[in-house]
Amino acid sequence: MMSKYIFLFLLCAGQLFADTITALEYSWDSPAPAGTGTPLTISNGALVVDSETIPVTALSYGLHKLYLRAYDDSAGWGQPHCEWVFRFAPESFQERNTAEFEYWFDNGTHVTQDVSDNSSVNLIRNVGIDSLSSGLHALYFRSRDEHGNWGQPSGEWVYKHPHVTPSNREVLELQVWFDNGTRVIYDVPDLSTVTMIRNIGIDTLTAGLHTLNIRARDNFGVWGQPQGEWVYKFAPENYHGRVVAEFETWFDNGSHTTHDVPDGTTAQLIRNLPIATLTPGLHVLNIRCRHQSGEWGQPQGEWVYKFSQPQNDTLNIVQAEIQIDSNTPQILDVTDSSQVNFLVKIPGSEIGYLMHTVCVKVQDERGIWSARECKNFFVIPGNPSGPASYIAGAELFINADPGEGNGVPLLPDDGIWDEPMEAAHVVVDSVPMGIHKVGVRVKDDLNQWSNVVYDTVRSGPLLVIHTSGTDVILNWERSLSGHEFEVWRSALPDAGYISIATTTDSTYTDPAITSGADKRFYHVSFTLPPGLSEVYRLPAETPLAK
C-alpha cells in the first residue's frame, strides 16, 4: 500500500527586509484564505528550514496542488506558493511481473520486445544498427508490467565504428602492454585471422598481480578494443631445489588438516579423508603443499559430491564401467545382485609397462551410477612362462628428458643388441662445464622402455697453457655460474701439487717460472655453489682438469 504521508523539506524566506517568519500553513488544490489553512510547526526566523510530514489519506489518487503560505511579523501573510504532487493508487498484487520490453536509440522509434511474464527477466536480442550513423549513440530501454505500468527508461552509451568490408580486412600488427606501461608493437603476417606466440619480457614487472593488455590494428588503420587478462608474477626463488614437506587439505571454507609426507621434490598423497561432517551435496576439496623453506603453494580445488545415505541398501547392481588411465571406458554386464565380482583381462602390451590407474563405477537398478573408485597398479615387463626378454636398444640424455626414443643412442660393445645384459658406450662432446644429470633407459624386444636411471657427472674447465717470456699463462673455460677457481702446481705429473692461487677469473699468470725450472705441471679445480652437493649425488672432490 502507498504511504499516507508526504515528507516535505521546507525552505521559506520572507519578502525583502522582512523581520521574522512566525507562521506557515498549507492547503490542497486551491489556496485557502490567508490564516485559514492547515498550520505547520516551524521555528521562527528570517529564514526557515524545516521538515514536516503532511498526510495524504484524504486525497484522491492522481495529481494535486499543494499551496504553502508564510506569515512574517511586519508584512503579514505572503502570497501562496504552489507545488505539484501526485498520489499513486495502492497496489493490490504481491509481485509485479514483467510483460514486455521497449528499446530505442537516441530519440528514434521505440521497438517492443515480448517476453515471458515473470518477476525477473533476462532479455537477449540482436539489435539492428544498420540505420545508425557511425559514432556515439544512446541506447534506452524500459519494461512494462502486466498492469500496463511502464518503468523509468535506462540508458547506456554505445559506439558504432565505421563500416569496414570484412572480405579485405586484415590484421597488420598487435600491440601488447602490462598495466599502464609502455606498449610494444609486434608485426604479424597480414591475415584476417592471426595466431601470435611471443615471449614477453617480465623482468621489469614487480612481483604480484598485473594486467596483460592486447589489441590489433587492421589494414585500414583502425585499432580494435583492447582485451585484458590477469597475470601473476611470482617472487624469484633463491634456492636450487624445492622439496615438498607436507600437504594441507580442507573442504569448502572449513578447517585445514595437515598431512606429513616424506620430503622429496615429488610427493604423492594418498589419504582417506573423513566426510561424516559434510552435508549431502556439492563441495570443494582444496589441497596445497608446503616446501622445506616454509612457503605454501597455491591451493588447488576439485568438486566432490557427497550422496545422501541410501534408504534402501539392497539395490541390485546391473552393470559396471572400468577405465584404464584415460582410455575409452568399458561397460561390463554383470549378474544382477547387491554384491558382484567380475574379472577383466587386459593385455599388458596394449597399455605399456610402469604404473597405471584403473577406475571402476557401478550402476544400480534405478539407473544411478556410483562414484568412481580408482587404484594404481603396475605392469611389470617379462613373462614368467615365456622366453626371457633381451635388450634391443638403449639411449641417454643430459639434464632434460626429450621423451622415449629421442635420446642419444648407446652403442653395444659387441655391435648388436641381442642379450639380456649388454655393455654399451657413447661419446658426447660440447657439454658445458658444471654439474649435469645423466639419464639412461633401455628398450626390450617387445619395444617397451624401462624406467630412467639417473646419475650426476661433473664437466670441468678445459685448461690451455702457454708461455710469455718467463711467465706461464693459464686459460680455461669459464662457467656461467661464477665459480671460484683454485690453481695448483707441481714439479711432478701425479703428485706434490700445492695451491698457488684462487680467482674468479678464467685466467692466471704464474710469473718467472721458465727461467728457473725445465718443466712444471698444473691443474685447476673449482668449488661448488652452496647447497648444490645436497641436490645431486656427487663424487668425491677431485681436480677437474690438468
Side-chain angles (χ1 to χ4, degrees), residues 153-170:
S154 296
E156 294 288 340
W157 291 108
V158 295
Y159 188 89
K160 180 181 178 182
H161 289 277
H163 178 69
V164 178
T165 304
S167 60
N168 60 350
R169 192 176 187 184
E170 295 179 342

Side-chain angles (χ1 to χ4, degrees), residues 406-485:
N406 298 316
V408 178
L410 292 173
L411 306 176
D413 289 352
D414 60 4
I416 185 172
W417 298 106
D418 59 354
E419 300 176 22
M421 298 183 63
E422 294 271 9
H425 67 278
V426 70
V427 177
V428 181
D429 56 10
S430 301
V431 178
M433 185 185 69
I435 300 295
H436 300 280
K437 183 170 66 171
V438 177
V440 178
R441 57 176 160 242
V442 299
K443 181 176 63 174
D444 65 12
D445 56 332
L446 297 178
N447 204 35
Q448 298 288 340
W449 287 97
S450 70
N451 290 332
V452 179
V453 177
Y454 288 100
D455 204 349
T456 53
V457 298
R458 292 189 295 179
S459 175
L462 178 63
L463 179 62
V464 177
I465 303 175
H466 65 277
T467 61
S468 176
T470 61
D471 298 339
V472 173
I473 300 176
L474 291 77
N475 294 298
W476 56 87
E477 182 182 352
R478 186 174 182 85
S479 169
L480 297 178
S481 303
H483 298 302
E484 181 179 73
F485 298 94

Side-chain angles (χ1 to χ4, degrees), residues 166-174 187-197 216-219:
S167 60
N168 60 350
R169 192 176 187 184
E170 295 179 342
V171 177
L172 296 186
E173 60 187 13
L174 297 175
D187 186 39
V188 294
D190 299 350
L191 295 169
S192 58
T193 302
V194 172
T195 299
M196 184 181 76
I197 300 176
R217 184 179 67 83
D218 64 18
N219 50 323

Side-chain angles (χ1 to χ4, degrees), residues 3-7 26 28 38 40 53-59:
S3 172
K4 297 181 180 180
Y5 299 91
I6 294 178
F7 297 91
Y26 73 91
W28 290 105
T38 303
L40 294 171
T53 302
I54 299 178
V56 297
T57 309
L59 294 180

Side-chain angles (χ1 to χ4, degrees), residues 240 435 456 458 528-539 541:
H240 294 278
I435 300 295
T456 53
R458 292 189 295 179
L528 293 173
L532 192 59
S533 61
E534 299 174 3
V535 178
Y536 297 106
R537 302 184 303 278
L538 300 178
E541 289 289 341

